[in-house]
Amino acid sequence: MNIILLGPPGAGKGTQARFLVEERGMVQLSTGDMLRAAKDSGTEMGQIVADVMARGALVTDEIVIGLIREQLETVQSNGFIFDGFPRTLAQADALSDLLTEKGQTLDAVIEMEVDDEALVARIVARSTCGGCGEVYNDNTKPIPADGKCTNCGKENEFKRRADDNEESLKTRLMEYYKKTSPLIGYYYAKGQLTKVNGLGEIVDVKAAIAGVLDT
Ligand code: AP5
Ligand code: MG
């Protein structure tokens, strides 16, 4: 089963994708994580995308479609979670073509609805374990007092993202409403869209997503 988690910055896509990986053996394909890895690796592509990402703008369709194509060609899975991809109509069309080429289908698009005020509060309070990527939040899931990650148990550095500030977030939200939100209508028209209330507790959102996948 291949699914898209669709939602604005801070909607909880990464948080929920990790559950699906752990509990259902699905493979998370997060273009944001791939781009951050490219940035950290110091490659030419990494340098190109670093500035764009820090500002909160979208990286070109060509780059992100290339990243997804490479993953689909090399990774074997019977369930991909597309997290943060597609983000434009051109990316959505490309994904459809790539899946068709592989003889696969897109089974569900889950839109995670969260209002803007909550998004800002979540994003400015977020940090992640530098080792395993476990996501924390100063308000709802603080870093343990002993400094050891609850997932990997190690005392790694807890990182904050360069684009997790109010200024970049404004651009990220604007990009979402201008370029990504048209995908809601696109997938609705295809009969693939299900909305989930992303404002509830993490466990309630998880249950709502499970409800969509298990029906
Ligand atoms: P990307 O990494 O995809 O970031 P994003 O879409 O802005 O989303 P986030 O990762 O910020 O949020 P999330 O929904 O994963 O939330 P999370 O679970 O962490 O993209 C970054 C950049 O890369 C883009 O701006 C762009 O430049 C580039 N890029 C990436 N893909 C691209 C593409 N396809 N095309 C072009 N450019 C692309 O949760 C957030 C916080 O909230 C955490 O602290 C978490 O603990 C907390 N939280 C989660 N759920 C709940 C809940 N239910 N209640 C309370 N707190 C919660
Ligand atoms: Mg994320």
Side-chain angles (χ1 to χ4, degrees), residues 7-16 30-33 35-36 52-53 56-59 64 83-87 91 122-123 125-127 135-137 140-141 161 163-164 172 198-202 205:
K13 304 181 293 291
T15 300
Q16 296 299 330
S30 157
T31 38
D33 287 349
L35 292 165
R36 277 183 289 279
V52 178
M53 291 176 77
L58 289 192
V59 171
V64 290
D83 162 2
F85 180 93
R87 263 174 147 99
Q91 291 178 25
R122 284 184 186 184
I123 292 262
R126 171 172 55 187
S127 57
V135 185
Y136 291 88
N137 188 285
T140 52
K141 188 182 166 189
R161 274 170 42 179
D163 58 348
D164 276 356
R172 287 160 68 192
L199 260 182
E201 299 285 323
I202 288 175
V205 179

